[in-house]
Structure formats: structure tokens, C-alpha cells
Amino acid sequence: MISELKIYFIRSVILLLFLGAETFNSAIYAQNRSDSTEVRELLEEGGRAADQGDYKRAFQLLNRADSLSQVIDYNKGKETAVRLKADAFITRGEPEPAINLLTELIRNNPDSEDLTHHYNSLAQAHALSGDHVIAIQMFDEAQKYLERLPSNIAERLSIGLLQNSAVAYRSMGQMNAALSNYLEAIEFAETRRDTMMLIILYNNLGTVYTDMDDPGRAIYYLDRSLEMAENENSKSDILRARLNLGNALSANEQYKEALKNYEIAEDFFLQLRPQVPPAILLHNQGSTLAKMGRYKEGERLMLESLELTEQMGVLEGSYYNYYVLGTMYMDTGRFQEAVRFLKNASSAAESIGNSDYKLDANQKLHQAFGLLGDYEEAYRALNDYNMLSDSLSDLEKEKELAELKSQLELNRQNEINRLLEEKQVQQEQTIQFQVILIISGGVIIVLVVVLLLIMRRTSKEKEEMLTKLKEQKEELEQLNASKDKLFAIISHDLRSPLTSLQGVLYMIKNKMLSHNEMEMVVREMEGSIQKNLNVMEDLLVWAKKQLSGVEMDFQPIELKEVVRDVIEGQKFVADKKGVQFIQKLEGNKTVFGDLGALKMVIRNMVSNAIKFTDKGDTIEISASKSENMIQLCIKDSGIGIPHEVKKKIFDSKTWTREGTRNEKGSGFGLSISKDFVEQMKGRIWFESEEGKGTAFFIELPKA
């Protein structure tokens, strides 16, 4: 199945004409009659004009060649003129007149030595009209008359027919048959060292791998084709390679590189075929732009391409335009248009006779109808998809495909074995020398393996070192951020109350305050100093942890006493805010941990509860037992924790949140609390709903 579109319509028009250039000229110049010289020149010039897209001039020249051949009774000229006119209709995208001309030509010349050429052109015309089954029959028919041609022409033409059949099979979605023909043609061309033929075959093999969703191999073969074409300065082959390389790069999500190749291909297209509408380029560029999210540009180009392909009657081109536009409309929420275009794609696929195309179109139709809410039509499309899918034997296809991929290599190996058998006598005379070479080769291989192992080990060590350095860098950056915050807190949050205290002491010293004013100021300063003592404790614990680590002194700890001490230290701040403590610690609740660490953790929990509550709120402290653990719960009725900041509570050392009366914190308390609880083999978590309060839970082992 085709999971992503590969745009090769019109390819049959561009590539299949390969058989025209050399073989036609060879046939035309086969005769050296002086009275046919003008005919040959007219035919050559007419064929060149058709290749450039100047069809009006091409038909004028070919008609003159036909008329002159009639006058001088030059049968070769008459046949070639008719066939070249048919080829011009094919390149112009008009298969019907080409089929009529070629059918009559074959019927009137059953003994022609050029029947292979005639059937090949007829096959091209049927392929263009979408009749790929008939096209393959015509290619097979062309093979039957190769013996009428000179051997050098017949050999090359045989390769061309194989690759042309492969194009037709590919258009039908029969990738196994297509690949089989390509591999056979490549083997033949490599044996003959036929560079020009290999350029085309590598190009076509690259397009097959693109069809098979293997862009890596596709790019490899297309690069080979492009390199050879540039060495030969063959502009038409450079055009094809650039065009198909753009398709492979687009399938590999290398969109910018794909567009660059399309631009280069467009320059060559305008040079070589100035009169031919660039439908394929418009579609490929539009499809790639759509993949990049540039939908308006892509839509404009593909609609223009669709109009051209419908005018030219290129069904495969229309299918691709309908399919990609339908998919794009579905992705952008234009479901009505998506359904309309995907229906047209399904109809085009049915006309072409390609099951894979139809399968893809029906699958997309099912999705589009579902998004549109038309579930009855969605079910019908899904049913059509399942019926078609069940008829395809995917497992068998994969098996055949795997066999075909290895066919070329097996053929080469068989040839090597045959040569080895023929040279067995010579090998026996040189066996001693071969043994020496084998031993030397073995030593070299061992050395290479050792070097590779050393290089691998060195590379692994480097990777580990880089990973460690990266981790250390991240840790240092985090510590540096914490250090900066520590200095900021010290310079601002701790200095401010000390400055205020200094001012109060100055006023007391100079007897500037009354007794009542002094009491009020002292109460205010007491709360401020208590808050800053909390911050200072957090900072000192954090600093100690960063510099030398914290050594835990595990011992049995009575939970009620620790909670009472913490509440006494925090009660002044709570009373000032109008927050009430509710203790529900009953019975003996003894945990096993570090007293200082536990007191710091509970103080942080209580301090935070006060920070995020206000007048009239309560802070309830309770504990419960399980078999091996004791769970302490500090629950407040305050403002709660917003959902978007819950992930930062324990993880961040630089983030803090202001309290109900703009109280600030250090940002270190909760992260240190989590570390301490985990070091005491416990766990800490919270439950909160914004506006309804927060409950922090601390679970520690029993003593």
C-alpha cells in the first residue's frame, strides 16, 4: 500500500520516450539512399521539435516527411513519420489519436522490421490513457519482433522494453513485477556497460524505492543516476533525476532540499520542453509546500496542476492531485471539500485499475466521512476498504519482494561460480600463493578488528566522559542559579528586617517612641524576625547540604513533641494572621528518623500552611498508623495550589510563590524537605484543590 504519495504521473510520457531517440535515429539512418536524405532530416528535426513541446512545427515537419516518403516510395520514412506523429501526441498528453495512428500502422505493415518500435509506442499510448494491462500486453508483443532488428539495436531495445514494462507494472501497483523487470534490465545494462541506459534504470529504480517507502535507498540510486547524467551532460536525464530526487527527499521530510531540486528541475524543464505544461512540477511543489504547512501556496499549485492533467487526460496525475488535495482539506478541517476530492481520487484509481490507489482513497474517505459526521457513508467507505484489502495477499507480496531484491545478487554469484569452475586448473597451480594471501588477509582482518575494538572502546569512553561532563555542567548551572538566589535573599529578605531593627533600636535609644508605640513595633518586629529565622534555617540547611552533605542521626522520635515544638515556634505568626491550629495527635506515635531533619520538614509544612491561609482559616495536624509506617497529615483550609504549578512544588529550587499577605519564601524548603524525608526512608506528597486548601502527607517508618 502507498502510505505517502510519490508523484510520478507523466513519468511514463517523459521516460518511455527513451526508446525513441537513439533507436529511431539508428533506424532512420540505416538506409543511405540519397533521395531519402531530406526525409531523414525532416524526421529528425520534427522529432526534436516535439521533444521541445513545439507541436505545431513538429506536425508540419513530420507531415512533410510523410508526403515526401509517399512520393519517393520510402517505406521506412512513411512508418517513422507516422510513429513520430503518434509519439508527439503522447508527449502532448493525447493518447487516443496516437492509439488510432499506431493501430493502423501495425495493421498496414505486418512485415515491418520496425514492429518492435511500433508496439512499444502503442504500449506507451495505452499506458498514458490508463490502460496499463493492455500496455503490458503491447510491450510483450514488442519483444516478439526484436529479432527483425540488428543485434546491437535489439539488445538495447530489449532492456528498454523491460524498464518500460516495469513503469507500467508500477503504475498498477504491482511492485514485485516492476522490481523484477528493473533488476533484469540493470543486470543486462551493467553487462553491456551501457551508461545512458543505466542512468535511466537507476533513476527508475530510485522511484520504485520511493514508492515502497524506502527513501534512503531511493536517494542512493537517484544520486547515482544524477551523477552519471551530469558526467554525460544529459539534460533530459538530469531533469528526471532532479525531479524524482525531489520526490524522495520530500518523502524523507527533507522539504527544503526537495524544493531546491524542483527548482533546478524546473529550469531544465523550461529549457527542454518550453511548450509542455509543467503539471508534474506544479503538483510536486504544491504537495511539498502542503507538507510544510504552507497550505494556501500548495493548494494553488495543485489546483493548477489538476486543471492541466485533466486537460491532458492524464488519469494518474489527476488521481494524485485529487488525493493530496483531499488529504490536505481533511487536515485543515475542510471536510466537505475533502470528501468531494477523495471521491474523485477513488474514481480515478478505479479507472486506472490500481488497487493500492483505490485502497488509499477509500481509507481516507472513511476518515473524512467520519470527521464530517456522516457515519453511514463512513461505514460504507470502510466496508469497501476492507473488501479490497482482504483481496490482497500482503504476506505473499512481501515474500516475493524479498526474493526479487536478492535476485540480482544471486545472478552475479552464479556467474562468479561459473568462472571459478572454468579456471579450476589455473587455481590449483597457484593454490600455495592463495594460501599465503589468505593468511595475510586473515592477519590484516585481525588487525583491523583489533583497531576497530580499540576505536570503539575509545569512542565509548569519550561518550561516557561527555555525558558526565554534561551532567556536571547542568548540576553546576543549577547550583549557580541557587547560589544567585541565595545571595538575592540574603541581600533583600534578610537585610530588610535587620535594617528595620536597626532603625527601631535607634528610635528606642533616642527615646523617640512612646510605651504603646514600642510594644506595637516590637510585636511587628517579632513576626518579621520569626519569618526570617525560618528562611535562615532553610538557607543554612541547604548550604550545609550542598557543601558537605547531611549526615542523618537515626533515633526514635515522639511525633507529638516535635509537632508541639514547631507549633510553639510558629504560633505567633499564625495568631497574627488569625489562623487557628487544630491538633489531633492521639496516643504514642514514634517514628524512626533524624530529629533535626524531621523538625525542619514539619516546620516547613506548617510555615507554608500559615503562609497560604488567612484570617478564619484552620491548620489541622493529625497522624495515623499502619503496620510499619506512621503518616503525618498537615491540612489547611487556605487558597490551595493551582494545577499549573503543582509539578514545581518539590522539583524547583528557584521557584517560589507569595502568600496570602505577600509573604515570600526561599524556594528551598520543599525540595530540601523531600530530600530529607526520602533519606529517612519515607515519602512525602500532597493533595490540593485551588480555593479549598492543601493537605501535605509525610510517611515515615515506625520506631
Side-chain angles (χ1 to χ4, degrees):
M1 183 184 297
I2 304 171
S3 62
E4 187 174 346
L5 286 176
K6 317 300 184 305
I7 312 306
Y8 309 114
F9 64 89
I10 309 179
R11 181 174 55 216
S12 56
V13 177
I14 296 175
L15 298 183
L16 294 174
L17 289 180
F18 161 79
L19 294 178
E22 184 190 58
T23 53
F24 286 150
N25 292 339
S26 300
I28 292 169
Y29 285 97
Q31 297 190 23
N32 291 317
R33 292 166 52 184
S34 58
D35 55 358
S36 64
T37 301
E38 185 179 354
V39 173
R40 295 197 298 270
E41 290 175 352
L42 289 169
L43 291 171
E44 184 176 6
E45 192 174 352
R48 188 161 49 246
D51 288 340
Q52 294 172 352
D54 191 352
Y55 299 111
K56 182 177 179 181
R57 184 166 179 270
F59 284 121
Q60 289 175 347
L61 293 167
L62 294 173
N63 285 332
R64 284 173 56 192
D66 191 7
S67 299
L68 184 56
S69 297
Q70 297 282 355
V71 172
I72 63 175
D73 195 24
Y74 181 23
N75 287 332
K76 172 75 73 173
K78 288 187 286 185
E79 290 184 34
T80 306
V82 173
R83 188 171 68 252
L84 288 178
K85 282 191 282 186
D87 288 340
F89 279 119
I90 293 171
T91 59
R92 198 164 68 175
E94 300 177 28
E96 289 305 320
I99 291 171
N100 293 334
L101 284 173
L102 292 164
T103 301
E104 185 177 359
L105 176 64
I106 292 171
R107 184 171 58 249
N108 294 336
N109 298 277
D111 299 323
S112 171
E113 65 179 24
D114 287 334
L115 273 183
T116 294
H117 295 303
H118 303 340
Y119 274 113
N120 176 63
S121 292
L122 182 58
Q124 296 167 24
H126 281 294
L128 179 61
S129 67
D131 296 330
H132 298 294
V133 174
I134 297 176
I136 291 170
Q137 293 174 357
M138 295 300 99
F139 285 130
D140 291 342
E141 197 68 23
Q143 292 276 1
K144 298 178 182 178
Y145 301 101
L146 283 170
E147 60 185 18
R148 296 186 182 183
L149 296 168
S151 59
N152 61 325
I153 295 175
E155 286 181 2
R156 195 157 195 263
L157 191 54
S158 177
I159 302 172
L161 289 170
L162 283 170
Q163 74 93 22
N164 285 353
S165 296
V167 172
Y169 278 122
R170 185 169 69 243
S171 297
M172 294 173 64
Q174 298 184 22
M175 305 307 293
N176 296 338
L179 188 59
S180 176
N181 279 22
Y182 279 134
L183 293 178
E184 186 177 349
I186 287 173
E187 183 179 12
F188 202 174
E190 286 179 342
T191 302
R192 295 180 74 241
R193 297 182 180 178
D194 190 332
T195 301
M196 297 307 295
M197 180 63 82
L198 284 173
I199 289 172
I200 291 177
L201 289 168
Y202 284 144
N203 178 83
N204 288 356
L205 188 57
T207 63
V208 170
Y209 279 119
T210 307
D211 284 342
M212 292 163 56
D213 292 322
D214 192 348
R217 289 187 183 177
I219 292 169
Y220 169 77
Y221 282 107
L222 290 167
D223 279 338
R224 290 188 67 183
S225 176
L226 177 60
E227 182 182 1
M228 295 171 72
E230 288 176 339
N231 289 338
E232 297 292 330
N233 195 28
S234 175
K235 292 184 178 181
S236 59
D237 291 312
I238 294 172
L239 165 62
R240 286 192 289 271
R242 287 287 185 187
L243 180 64
N244 291 323
L245 186 56
N247 297 334
L249 289 166
S250 181
N252 206 35
E253 299 182 1
Q254 296 173 252
Y255 303 128
K256 290 184 179 179
E257 291 81 355
L259 289 175
K260 288 179 184 177
N261 276 276
Y262 291 145
E263 288 175 7
I264 297 171
E266 187 174 10
D267 291 338
F268 280 97
F269 194 93
L270 294 174
Q271 292 177 40
L272 298 171
R273 312 184 67 76
Q275 306 298 323
V276 177
I280 186 171
L281 283 164
L282 291 171
H283 178 92
N284 291 2
Q285 290 169 329
S287 174
T288 302
L289 288 169
K291 292 177 185 177
M292 297 170 72
R294 295 162 63 179
Y295 297 115
K296 287 187 178 180
E297 300 171 77
E299 179 185 24
R300 177 178 59 79
L301 293 175
M302 284 189 284
L303 287 174
E304 188 177 346
S305 174
L306 176 60
E307 183 179 356
L308 291 173
T309 55
E310 288 183 333
Q311 290 174 1
M312 297 164 66
V314 182
L315 279 174
E316 194 168 358
S318 298
Y319 165 79
Y320 280 121
N321 277 308
Y322 281 129
Y323 184 91
V324 177
L325 282 165
T327 303
M328 186 188 74
Y329 289 143
M330 190 168 64
D331 292 341
T332 55
R334 297 162 65 178
F335 304 131
Q336 290 281 8
E337 292 169 277
V339 166
R340 179 161 57 88
F341 276 78
L342 290 170
K343 279 184 176 180
N344 290 337
S346 180
S347 298
E350 191 164 354
S351 299
I352 295 170
N354 190 309
S355 299
D356 285 335
Y357 290 178
K358 181 137 180 96
L359 204 61
D360 286 343
N362 284 351
Q363 185 182 37
K364 289 291 182 183
L365 260 178
H366 162 65
Q367 296 172 5
F369 276 124
L371 292 170
L372 191 59
D374 190 343
Y375 300 112
E376 184 177 348
E377 288 295 335
Y379 173 77
R380 187 175 290 111
L382 179 62
N383 189 50
D384 291 344
Y385 170 83
N386 288 334
M387 289 177 63
L388 185 59
S389 178
D390 290 344
S391 67
L392 300 176
S393 177
D394 293 334
L395 186 61
E396 188 62 28
K397 281 187 176 183
E398 290 177 7
K399 181 180 178 182
E400 292 175 8
L401 195 59
E403 293 174 353
L404 290 170
K405 284 182 179 178
S406 61
Q407 180 179 340
L408 183 58
E409 187 60 32
L410 288 173
N411 290 342
R412 289 178 178 173
Q413 190 62 47
N414 290 335
E415 179 65 16
I416 292 172
N417 292 338
R418 185 181 63 81
L419 292 173
L420 288 173
E421 289 176 0
E422 292 176 355
K423 296 179 180 180
Q424 187 174 1
V425 176
Q426 292 86 344
Q427 289 176 346
E428 289 176 356
Q429 296 174 354
T430 58
I431 191 169
Q432 186 175 2
F433 179 67
Q434 290 178 349
V435 168
I436 295 172
L437 287 178
I438 291 170
I439 294 172
S440 301
V443 171
I444 292 171
I445 290 171
V446 170
L447 290 173
V448 169
V449 170
V450 171
L451 287 172
L452 287 173
L453 289 172
I454 293 171
M455 290 173 66
R456 183 179 178 184
R457 182 178 177 182
T458 304
S459 176
K460 188 175 180 181
E461 289 175 352
K462 286 181 179 178
E463 287 179 2
E464 291 175 352
M465 187 180 297
L466 287 171
T467 302
K468 189 173 182 180
L469 287 172
K470 184 178 179 181
E471 291 173 353
Q472 290 176 346
K473 179 186 175 185
E474 291 174 352
E475 185 177 353
L476 286 172
E477 287 175 349
Q478 190 173 13
L479 288 174
N480 191 52
S482 300
K483 175 212 63 173
D484 291 343
K485 184 171 183 183
L486 174 62
F487 287 147
I489 292 169
I490 293 171
S491 65
H492 182 270
D493 291 357
L494 299 182
R495 185 173 63 182
S496 296
L498 291 175
T499 303
S500 299
L501 181 59
Q502 185 182 33
V504 171
L505 292 174
Y506 175 80
M507 287 188 290
I508 293 172
K509 177 182 176 183
N510 291 282
K511 300 180 180 179
M512 297 171 65
L513 297 174
S514 66
H515 181 73
N516 291 335
E517 288 174 336
M518 191 179 301
E519 284 185 354
M520 182 179 67
V521 169
V522 168
R523 281 198 301 272
E524 291 293 331
M525 289 302 300
E526 184 179 5
S528 178
I529 290 171
Q530 179 63 53
K531 283 188 267 186
N532 281 277
L533 281 173
N534 294 344
V535 174
M536 180 63 77
E537 286 184 28
D538 284 351
L539 295 175
L540 290 174
V541 171
W542 176 84
K544 182 180 179 182
K545 186 174 183 295
Q546 298 302 319
L547 293 172
S548 60
V550 177
E551 294 293 332
M552 292 287 181
D553 180 15
F554 287 93
Q555 58 182 303
I557 303 168
E558 176 55 44
L559 201 57
K560 186 184 294 185
E561 293 179 6
V562 177
V563 171
R564 185 183 62 242
D565 290 345
V566 170
I567 289 176
E568 286 178 1
Q570 301 292 321
K571 195 171 187 310
F572 177 82
V573 181
D575 289 344
K576 185 178 178 183
K577 290 188 74 173
V579 177
Q580 182 181 358
F581 284 109
I582 300 173
Q583 293 189 53
K584 292 186 177 180
L585 293 173
E586 299 176 358
N588 181 27
K589 304 287 193 305
T590 306
V591 299
F592 191 68
D594 180 88
L595 178 60
L598 180 59
K599 185 177 290 188
M600 182 267 180
V601 172
I602 296 174
R603 181 183 57 74
N604 258 293
M605 301 299 104
V606 172
S607 175
N608 273 348
I610 297 170
K611 180 179 176 182
F612 296 108
T613 52
D614 211 334
K615 186 175 181 179
D617 286 327
T618 59
I619 300 173
E620 180 183 296
I621 304 175
S622 61
S624 60
K625 289 182 179 181
S626 63
E627 185 176 351
N628 298 313
M629 307 294 284
I630 291 179
Q631 184 183 103
L632 178 68
C633 174
I634 302 170
K635 180 179 181 182
D636 66 67
S637 60
I639 61 176
I641 302 172
H643 178 74
E644 62 271 14
V645 302
K646 287 182 178 180
K647 291 183 179 179
K648 302 179 183 179
I649 295 298
F650 290 120
D651 296 335
S652 176
K653 295 182 177 65
T654 58
W655 177 85
T656 184
R657 179 182 172 213
E658 290 187 352
T660 55
R661 297 190 184 179
N662 301 321
E663 300 101 320
K664 296 180 180 178
S666 66
F668 299 99
L670 288 175
S671 63
I672 296 174
S673 296
K674 182 175 184 293
D675 289 344
F676 281 177
V677 170
E678 290 176 352
Q679 286 186 51
M680 289 187 286
K681 300 180 181 178
R683 64 190 185 104
I684 182 171
W685 72 97
F686 67 90
E687 295 174 359
S688 180
E689 185 175 350
E690 192 170 5
K692 295 185 179 181
T694 303
F696 275 87
F697 299 91
I698 303 166
E699 191 174 72
L700 292 169
K702 280 184 179 180

